[in-house]
Amino acid sequence: MSKLRDKAAIWKQRKLSRITNDDNIKINFTNYITMQTIEQTMKETAQKAWGKRPLIISGPCSAETEEQVLQTAQRLAATGKVDMLRAGIWKPRTKPGMFEGIGVKGLPWLLQAKKLTGIPTTVEVATGKQVQDALTFDVDVLWIGARTTVNPFSVQEVADALRGVDVPVLIKNPINPDLELWTGAVERVARAGIKQIGLIHRGFSSYGNTEFRNAPMWHLAIEMKRRNPELLLINDPSHICGRRDILMDVAQKAIDLDFDGLMIESHIDPDNAWSDAKQQVTPEKLAEMLDNIKWRHETAEEKEFITALEKLREQINHLDDELIQLLGQRMKIADKIGEYKKNNNVTILQTSRWNQILERAFKKGDALGLSREFITKYFDAVHMESINHQNKIMNS
Ligand code: PEP
Ligand code: MN
């Protein structure tokens, strides 16, 4: 263990000599030394937090100012409900010119927040240099963001920097719904020798407007957990929802699905946050949400199979919800086709197309063990509904 920490210790030593000459990084030398002495205790606190269920991670989308980081941390600590403090230091932004994170000068603020509250910290890293900087300032847990997981070059760079370091790493799902990429990132980090790895489910990009900023596609998180039952699985309702009003619903679903914890963004002044303003909540609002969540835990009297059954039923409910959403989308497309047919004076029913749909479905169904009888019945019903939709359009 001590050998594993050597690499981070060397980085810190080098930083220490630079810090004293660097006016941009306003860290007080004495503070830094004090931190060294409580570092061991914090490592233990971080280890404990990692093992806690449910594990609650909160803090701002981005570190903005020292005051904002410290106040958020203190107000979160006052709730007594937060196990880990998050803050983005380097922000991957879709477009240039947006706030791209405060950078390395925010790291001492986080260190200070940890010192004030005793809450361990977590930061997103996307490059080897960021890993080095975060560990130099004793960040306790690192996370790999969705835009990084998607790129094997970047994940490998982060993994290479992690070689020889003992730090827990959380890996967000990639922005596209690809479990192999997510798994690949886990494997790269594991091969670098990292023992404590967790997953963060933050939803997946999809084209067009939906209820969510990132579609949850719960079945993918469930499948990832099935494949990796030993990994911690955290849900990030903030980036799934992109808005405050449905955060609670998503958080509750995650808990119903037996997730190990939640990462929820919080800010002292959410509306004026420098990034993700629409989805952040105040620390007090976060506490209220956490109070209202119905936490599922297995009691000793409950027979194991009842709990298992409940969980499976929840999974069925969520999958059914998604099927209904998809059917709704399918009918919207049918409506559009109806418009085209109307404008071009074409009949609704075109037998060759219908046969083609059924043939495709049979083939796919066969591979998945779905009977032809079921496929026929199901598609008949879907097809009838489609025809009814188109009929309405044609006759409107
Ligand atoms: C974040 O957590 O602030 C973030 C950038 O998230 P994601 O990687 O999920 O987009
Ligand atoms: Mn964010």
Side-chain angles (χ1 to χ4, degrees):
M1 171 84 114
S2 62
K3 202 170 170 208
L4 278 175
R5 296 212 64 81
D6 279 356
K7 191 164 153 188
I10 292 166
W11 290 336
K12 258 184 285 182
Q13 207 49 51
R14 284 196 201 132
K15 192 79 177 181
L16 202 55
S17 38
R18 255 189 295 138
I19 284 164
T20 44
N21 300 322
D22 189 345
D23 287 341
N24 291 328
I25 302 172
K26 290 198 183 94
I27 182 165
N28 168 309
F29 185 84
T30 328
N31 260 353
Y32 192 81
I33 295 296
T34 317
M35 278 311 299
Q36 300 271 63
T37 61
I38 65 163
E39 187 195 336
Q40 197 46 43
T41 326
M42 279 315 301
K43 289 291 159 215
E44 282 157 24
T45 313
Q47 283 303 320
K48 243 192 238 159
W50 186 262
K52 181 175 165 283
R53 299 290 176 274
L55 168 60
I56 306 296
I57 306 173
S58 189
C61 176
S62 304
E64 299 164 4
T65 65
E66 182 169 15
E67 197 195 3
Q68 169 247 9
V69 170
L70 296 185
Q71 275 195 27
T72 312
Q74 282 173 306
R75 279 167 57 179
L76 285 172
T79 69
K81 295 179 193 299
V82 174
D83 308 302
M84 219 173 265
L85 181 67
R86 63 149 281 156
I89 293 290
W90 302 278
K91 301 302 298 179
R93 306 315 301 274
T94 304
K95 299 210 171 119
M98 297 163 90
F99 174 58
E100 295 195 319
I102 204 72
V104 74
K105 85 172 192 197
L107 289 170
W109 307 340
L110 271 180
L111 194 58
Q112 186 66 11
K114 168 158 80 168
K115 191 178 158 197
L116 284 173
T117 62
I119 303 178
T121 55
T122 180
V123 157
E124 173 177 349
V125 288
T127 65
K129 174 74 169 59
Q130 291 172 4
V131 170
Q132 185 169 336
D133 284 338
L135 293 178
T136 299
F137 285 94
D138 289 335
V139 171
D140 298 286
V141 172
L142 304 178
W143 92 77
I144 295 179
R147 290 163 194 76
T148 305
T149 308
V150 88
N151 183 344
F153 286 143
S154 302
V155 175
Q156 193 56 52
E157 184 186 326
V158 168
D160 289 343
L162 287 169
R163 208 173 289 281
V165 178
D166 179 28
V167 66
V169 177
L170 293 162
I171 304 175
K172 286 201 174 196
N173 66 254
I175 45 181
N176 53 327
D178 183 342
L179 289 190
E180 299 316 315
L181 267 177
W182 203 359
T183 305
V186 170
E187 283 174 11
R188 284 176 201 277
V189 171
R191 283 185 189 193
I194 296 296
K195 297 273 178 290
Q196 290 168 292
I197 299 179
L199 304 166
I200 303 179
H201 168 230
R202 52 74 82 194
F204 302 86
S205 278
S206 60
Y207 183 69
N209 291 335
T210 66
E211 189 185 0
F212 302 104
R213 176 177 174 189
N214 292 297
M217 303 190 186
W218 294 101
H219 57 289
L220 294 183
I222 292 166
E223 173 60 12
M224 197 63 183
K225 181 74 180 174
R226 192 191 63 76
R227 292 190 198 175
N228 304 281
E230 73 292 355
L231 300 186
L232 181 71
L233 178 63
I234 304 281
N235 179 255
D236 172 350
S238 305
H239 292 89
I240 289 179
C241 300
R243 46 192 254 220
R244 289 187 264 278
D245 58 330
I246 52 172
L247 279 179
M248 175 74 191
D249 276 0
V250 168
Q252 183 67 64
K253 271 192 192 179
I255 297 309
D256 293 345
L257 287 172
D258 204 28
F259 276 62
D260 298 306
L262 300 169
M263 181 194 255
I264 301 181
E265 288 183 341
S266 58
H267 193 284
I268 46 171
D269 183 8
D271 286 335
N272 291 306
W274 298 2
S275 60
D276 288 351
K278 287 195 194 130
Q279 71 197 31
Q280 304 202 58
V281 292
T282 61
E284 297 70 30
K285 179 72 195 166
L286 173 87
E288 190 187 312
M289 273 177 55
L290 295 173
D291 275 341
N292 287 327
I293 287 179
K294 209 169 150 214
W295 300 99
R296 321 263 165 197
H297 41 90
E298 296 156 30
T299 62
E301 311 90 68
E302 261 178 340
K303 289 208 178 103
E304 217 171 273
F305 84 92
I306 296 180
T307 319
L309 193 66
E310 245 179 35
K311 282 178 194 157
L312 290 171
R313 285 184 172 151
E314 280 298 337
Q315 292 183 10
I316 295 259
N317 287 348
H318 293 309
L319 289 174
D320 283 346
D321 288 351
E322 285 187 7
L323 282 175
I324 289 176
Q325 284 246 3
L326 288 174
L327 284 171
Q329 282 177 18
R330 193 189 191 281
M331 292 311 153
K332 284 213 175 79
I333 295 176
D335 287 347
K336 271 199 195 128
I337 293 180
E339 303 262 6
Y340 279 113
K341 287 183 179 167
K342 181 179 179 180
N343 295 339
N344 292 287
N345 221 12
V346 175
T347 57
I348 291 180
L349 182 63
Q350 285 157 319
T351 318
S352 59
R353 169 66 183 145
W354 176 229
N355 280 335
Q356 193 190 21
I357 289 179
L358 269 183
E359 277 313 314
R360 283 186 77 231
F362 282 155
K363 229 193 230 161
K364 290 192 185 243
D366 281 348
L368 293 168
L370 301 171
S371 72
R372 289 192 170 217
E373 189 197 4
F374 166 71
I375 293 283
T376 311
K377 274 190 191 152
Y378 172 78
F379 273 91
D380 268 346
V382 171
H383 191 222
M384 268 326 290
E385 181 72 5
S386 229
I387 288 178
N388 290 341
H389 269 251
Q390 291 189 24
N391 240 329
K392 251 193 223 151
I393 303 268
M394 297 288 257
N395 299 312
S396 64

mmCIF file of all heavy atoms in Angstrom, residues 61 86 91 239 265 276 279, ligand 2:
data_model
loop_
_atom_site.group_PDB
_atom_site.id
_atom_site.type_symbol
_atom_site.label_atom_id
_atom_site.label_comp_id
_atom_site.label_asym_id
_atom_site.label_seq_id
_atom_site.Cartn_x
_atom_site.Cartn_y
_atom_site.Cartn_z
ATOM 1 N N CYS A 61 -21.515 21.257 -9.790
ATOM 2 C CA CYS A 61 -21.056 20.784 -11.094
ATOM 3 C C CYS A 61 -19.607 21.216 -11.237
ATOM 4 O O CYS A 61 -18.738 20.404 -11.489
ATOM 5 C CB CYS A 61 -21.923 21.382 -12.201
ATOM 6 S SG CYS A 61 -21.348 20.934 -13.840
ATOM 7 N N ARG A 86 -18.165 16.354 -4.345
ATOM 8 C CA ARG A 86 -17.718 16.400 -5.734
ATOM 9 C C ARG A 86 -17.558 17.849 -6.184
ATOM 10 O O ARG A 86 -18.234 18.741 -5.658
ATOM 11 C CB ARG A 86 -18.689 15.690 -6.675
ATOM 12 C CG ARG A 86 -20.075 16.310 -6.743
ATOM 13 C CD ARG A 86 -20.732 16.126 -8.115
ATOM 14 N NE ARG A 86 -20.232 17.078 -9.091
ATOM 15 C CZ ARG A 86 -20.251 16.879 -10.401
ATOM 16 N NH1 ARG A 86 -20.739 15.769 -10.896
ATOM 17 N NH2 ARG A 86 -19.797 17.802 -11.220
ATOM 18 N N LYS A 91 -13.702 21.116 -16.932
ATOM 19 C CA LYS A 91 -15.029 20.796 -17.455
ATOM 20 C C LYS A 91 -15.002 20.552 -18.965
ATOM 21 O O LYS A 91 -14.631 21.451 -19.723
ATOM 22 C CB LYS A 91 -16.015 21.956 -17.180
ATOM 23 C CG LYS A 91 -16.189 22.313 -15.730
ATOM 24 C CD LYS A 91 -16.671 21.151 -14.895
ATOM 25 C CE LYS A 91 -18.026 20.620 -15.299
ATOM 26 N NZ LYS A 91 -18.424 19.476 -14.453
ATOM 27 N N HIS A 239 -27.321 14.496 -14.217
ATOM 28 C CA HIS A 239 -27.005 14.517 -15.647
ATOM 29 C C HIS A 239 -28.007 13.721 -16.470
ATOM 30 O O HIS A 239 -28.102 13.906 -17.678
ATOM 31 C CB HIS A 239 -25.555 14.080 -15.891
ATOM 32 C CG HIS A 239 -24.590 15.094 -15.350
ATOM 33 N ND1 HIS A 239 -24.141 15.045 -14.055
ATOM 34 C CD2 HIS A 239 -24.067 16.221 -15.905
ATOM 35 C CE1 HIS A 239 -23.344 16.095 -13.842
ATOM 36 N NE2 HIS A 239 -23.293 16.822 -14.942
ATOM 37 N N GLU A 265 -25.777 16.875 -8.070
ATOM 38 C CA GLU A 265 -25.098 18.170 -8.031
ATOM 39 C C GLU A 265 -25.828 19.155 -7.114
ATOM 40 O O GLU A 265 -27.060 19.255 -7.147
ATOM 41 C CB GLU A 265 -25.017 18.761 -9.436
ATOM 42 C CG GLU A 265 -24.025 18.014 -10.310
ATOM 43 C CD GLU A 265 -23.869 18.618 -11.701
ATOM 44 O OE1 GLU A 265 -24.763 19.376 -12.130
ATOM 45 O OE2 GLU A 265 -22.863 18.320 -12.345
ATOM 46 N N ASP A 276 -24.328 23.924 -15.768
ATOM 47 C CA ASP A 276 -25.459 23.074 -15.365
ATOM 48 C C ASP A 276 -26.395 23.733 -14.332
ATOM 49 O O ASP A 276 -26.817 23.090 -13.358
ATOM 50 C CB ASP A 276 -24.948 21.714 -14.844
ATOM 51 C CG ASP A 276 -24.410 20.837 -15.979
ATOM 52 O OD1 ASP A 276 -24.592 21.205 -17.154
ATOM 53 O OD2 ASP A 276 -23.824 19.786 -15.683
ATOM 54 N N GLN A 279 -29.957 22.098 -13.394
ATOM 55 C CA GLN A 279 -30.132 20.810 -12.719
ATOM 56 C C GLN A 279 -29.637 20.773 -11.279
ATOM 57 O O GLN A 279 -29.821 19.790 -10.582
ATOM 58 C CB GLN A 279 -29.448 19.705 -13.534
ATOM 59 C CG GLN A 279 -27.925 19.772 -13.504
ATOM 60 C CD GLN A 279 -27.288 18.949 -14.609
ATOM 61 O OE1 GLN A 279 -27.864 18.801 -15.680
ATOM 62 N NE2 GLN A 279 -26.117 18.391 -14.354
HETATM 63 MN MN MN B 2 -22.502 18.909 -14.407
#
